[in-house]
Amino acid sequence: MTVKATTALSWIDEHRDALIAMADDIWGYAELALHEERSAARLAEALRAEGFKVTTGTVGMPTAFVAEWRHGGAGRHGESGRRGGAGAGKGPVIGFLGEYDALGGVSQKVSPVQEPVVEGGAGHGCGHNLLGVGALGAAVALARELAARKLPGTVRYYGCPAEENLSGKAFMARDGVFDDCDACLTWHPGATNRVSTNSSLANNACNITFRGQSAHAAGNPFEGRSALDAVQLMNMGVEFLREHMPPKARVHYVITHGGDQPNVVPASAKVWYLVRAPERAQVDELYQRVLDCAEGAAKMTGTRFEVELLKAIWNTLNNRTLEDVLDAAMRRVGPPAFTAADLEFARRITESFRPDQKETYLSRQELSPEDLKTLRSQTLNDTIVARPAVLKEPSGSTDVGDVSWCAPTAQFGTACLALGTPGHSWQYAAQSGMDIGHAGMLVAAKVLAEAGFELVTNPDTLAKARAEFLELTGGRKYRSAMPPGQKPAFHQFADE
Ligand SMILES: [Zn+2]
Ligand SMILES: [Zn+2]
């Protein structure tokens, strides 16, 4: 029989204001990938104050950290009910994954109309301020529950930087920090209360720099070799490649440097590529074909090129056993309740949406007829949405994928946004900094703590999750998709 994590749930209620204040502080810091100094410090300090042992600078990333709390059970530190293996002596090891990086260009005040705090600045347009603090609330609350019941167990909070673009978790996974977890749980702010059942796309990101020969663009252009021409021809090659890519593959690029002025033939130009596909092997092949386009463009233009890999990550393995645990925990905790003021804010923010935006969002969610009917009538989702029977098609990517190859992993979303809110948008940033986001975050903290407690107290469920994990991985040890020695791209946002 399931016993509710009553101590954990009341800890979250009692610390509601402190958790909200932390989420709002991180929302205000709005720090970009690998530059989350204040955000990481704020979270690490809070965990230290709650008795967690904190190790910072994990795997060479200054804004990564691991915080651990361990209870030996019945006052005997080190006692373990777990079958041998890596976690012996620690009790079950439950990991919560926290993120806290912001996104460039979506700076926004808490306002239902577009109003940046800093024009062109960064903002929490993916709600990672809520994500990081929600997971922290769960970690502390679960530790309190285990202490109150004198149960053996290890609670870990992983401070994971740079989810956006630079994939901090992939570096942590490569260096084995998740390997001894019995389960890793996380969540993401969303528009519905629902367990995630979709995988994610594996991907590679790289900078490609072309180098040519500068010349006066009118006086002696025949002596120049344009690096910008090479970027454009490479991109053109990739556009023609699109027709022949695997069906769910995605390739996107931005030109990050295209020269300095039109009257000088650009001697250098740079393009940032992201190559995604459902399977890791598909990415490997497609990435090579994209590089072939670079090579062809260099030949055509008489330029040279350099490739700088930024990161390479895996797709996500869905652990249905853990997803069931999360779903049951969410139903025990219940959905967020929104106030009249929240509903009014949400209604006003939807005025900035395209007329069909909410319907387009709903049409892609694989909803039961009942849930579709309910969600059509709602602006903020305050029910629990059933999971689809089959796995959904992957669309986005996340570095949680790499964690899912190291340990059994599952995720869910709670309603922190008006239905139809676009991803990575100012509307998202606005709601991440106010009561709508806070309500979803507190529910997420409770669901994670409740699920973590369920796992600590049910070794059979953990064993089932492990068996499923071994089946999904085919028993193969996780291998990073990055070459040995690959460093996180600390410089990619250095100028911002
Ligand atoms: Zn995002
Ligand atoms: Zn995100």
Side-chain angles (χ1 to χ4, degrees):
M1 202 195 84
T2 298
V3 184
K4 245 186 160 185
T6 44
T7 305
L9 301 187
S10 15
W11 188 90
I12 293 164
D13 284 333
E14 284 154 20
H15 293 81
R16 181 182 183 281
D17 293 347
L19 293 169
I20 288 173
M22 204 184 314
D24 285 352
D25 284 350
I26 294 170
W27 183 87
Y29 303 154
E31 295 168 299
L32 291 174
L34 299 175
H35 297 274
E36 312 96 331
E37 288 89 5
R38 297 170 77 193
S39 308
R42 183 85 167 80
L43 292 160
E45 198 38 61
L47 285 156
R48 210 174 272 127
E50 295 294 345
F52 279 63
K53 184 171 157 274
V54 180
T55 314
T56 55
T58 305
V59 309
M61 291 187 290
T63 55
F65 66 93
V66 180
E68 183 177 289
W69 182 94
R70 188 184 297 182
H71 194 274
R76 282 160 53 207
H77 193 97
E79 186 187 63
S80 171
R82 191 182 189 271
R83 81 243 168 258
K90 304 170 182 173
V93 182
I94 308 296
F96 295 109
L97 311 176
E99 300 169 10
Y100 32 82
D101 57 324
L103 280 162
V106 291
S107 172
Q108 169 67 20
K109 292 182 183 164
V110 174
S111 162
V113 293
Q114 189 168 16
E115 242 186 306
V117 181
V118 180
E119 195 65 54
H124 272 286
C126 207
H128 295 179
N129 60 315
L130 303 171
L131 202 170
V133 175
L136 177 144
V140 179
L142 179 59
R144 289 285 177 281
E145 185 76 44
L146 300 188
R149 293 177 189 267
K150 298 188 168 40
L151 285 171
T154 299
V155 183
R156 246 187 235 152
Y157 179 94
Y158 289 98
C160 308
E163 192 281 328
E164 304 288 356
N165 293 303
L166 305 177
S167 302
K169 291 183 205 74
F171 294 88
M172 298 166 81
R174 181 188 64 186
D175 294 358
V177 307
F178 305 108
D179 287 357
D180 67 340
C181 283
D182 289 285
C184 279
L185 302 176
T186 191
W187 74 291
H188 200 290
T192 57
N193 304 294
R194 197 186 203 192
V195 171
S196 311
T197 50
N198 51 326
S199 181
S200 59
L201 299 170
N203 70 55
N204 275 18
C206 68
N207 290 323
I208 299 180
T209 307
F210 288 92
R211 298 194 195 282
Q213 177 62 49
S214 177
H216 191 295
N220 57 339
F222 42 85
E223 286 178 341
R225 297 289 179 268
S226 169
L228 178 60
D229 288 358
V231 165
Q232 290 183 283
L233 284 165
M234 175 188 175
N235 294 348
M236 194 60 77
V238 170
E239 293 309 330
F240 280 95
L241 176 61
R242 276 189 205 283
E243 188 184 353
H244 314 290
M245 303 190 319
K248 300 290 173 196
R250 297 278 186 274
V251 178
H252 353 263
Y253 52 83
V254 288
I255 300 175
T256 47
H257 179 62
D260 299 310
Q261 52 215 354
N263 63 354
V264 176
V265 172
S268 87
K270 192 169 177 178
V271 59
W272 177 2
Y273 261 86
L274 184 52
V275 178
R276 321 196 206 207
E279 301 293 335
R280 189 58 236 169
Q282 292 173 314
V283 172
D284 289 338
E285 192 192 331
L286 186 58
Y287 182 64
Q288 190 50 55
R289 292 169 78 195
V290 167
L291 296 187
D292 288 347
C293 292
E295 192 178 330
K299 276 207 168 124
M300 281 189 270
T301 52
T303 58
R304 293 171 289 115
F305 73 105
E306 294 147 25
V307 182
E308 182 204 4
L309 183 69
L310 297 169
K311 56 91 179 256
I313 66 171
W314 283 82
N315 55 314
T316 301
L317 297 176
N318 289 78
N319 194 297
R320 306 291 280 179
T321 306
L322 292 185
E323 288 172 4
D324 287 345
V325 169
L326 287 174
D327 193 68
M330 191 183 283
R331 286 170 199 283
R332 289 197 297 278
V333 168
F338 295 103
T339 64
D342 295 340
L343 283 163
E344 176 56 15
F345 191 96
R347 191 195 59 74
R348 286 197 58 202
I349 218 157
T350 58
E351 287 172 358
S352 66
F353 295 178
R354 292 188 321 274
D356 62 342
Q357 198 159 310
K358 178 176 160 187
E359 198 50 38
T360 308
Y361 165 78
L362 294 178
S363 71
R364 299 186 61 206
Q365 301 306 307
E366 296 173 58
L367 298 160
S368 70
E370 307 85 78
D371 280 328
L372 181 60
K373 189 157 166 261
T374 306
L375 291 171
R376 277 186 175 143
S377 73
Q378 294 179 333
T379 309
L380 292 171
N381 175 219
D382 60 1
T383 52
I384 290 170
V385 178
R387 291 171 295 159
V390 289
L391 288 183
K392 279 168 54 185
E393 293 280 0
S395 55
S397 299
T398 170
D399 58 6
V400 174
D402 282 61
V403 182
S404 76
W405 286 83
C406 300
T409 301
Q411 320 173 58
F412 65 97
T414 61
C416 297
L417 306 164
L419 286 154
T421 300
H424 294 182
S425 62
W426 67 262
Q427 293 97 332
Y428 204 136
Q431 295 168 89
S432 300
M434 50 85 65
D435 287 349
I436 298 175
H438 300 155
M441 174 187 83
L442 294 167
V443 166
K446 289 183 179 179
V447 173
L448 286 169
E450 179 73 12
F453 180 60
E454 167 81 10
L455 291 170
V456 169
T457 47
N458 283 291
D460 291 352
T461 311
L462 272 186
K464 196 174 156 208
R466 169 70 49 182
E468 187 176 342
F469 169 76
L470 291 174
E471 193 185 316
L472 287 167
T473 57
R476 287 186 306 274
K477 178 139 176 51
Y478 161 78
R479 174 182 59 79
S480 169
M482 297 183 290
Q486 172 78 30
K487 293 254 188 323
F490 294 111
H491 54 80
Q492 193 73 356
F493 293 111
D495 299 329
E496 294 186 44

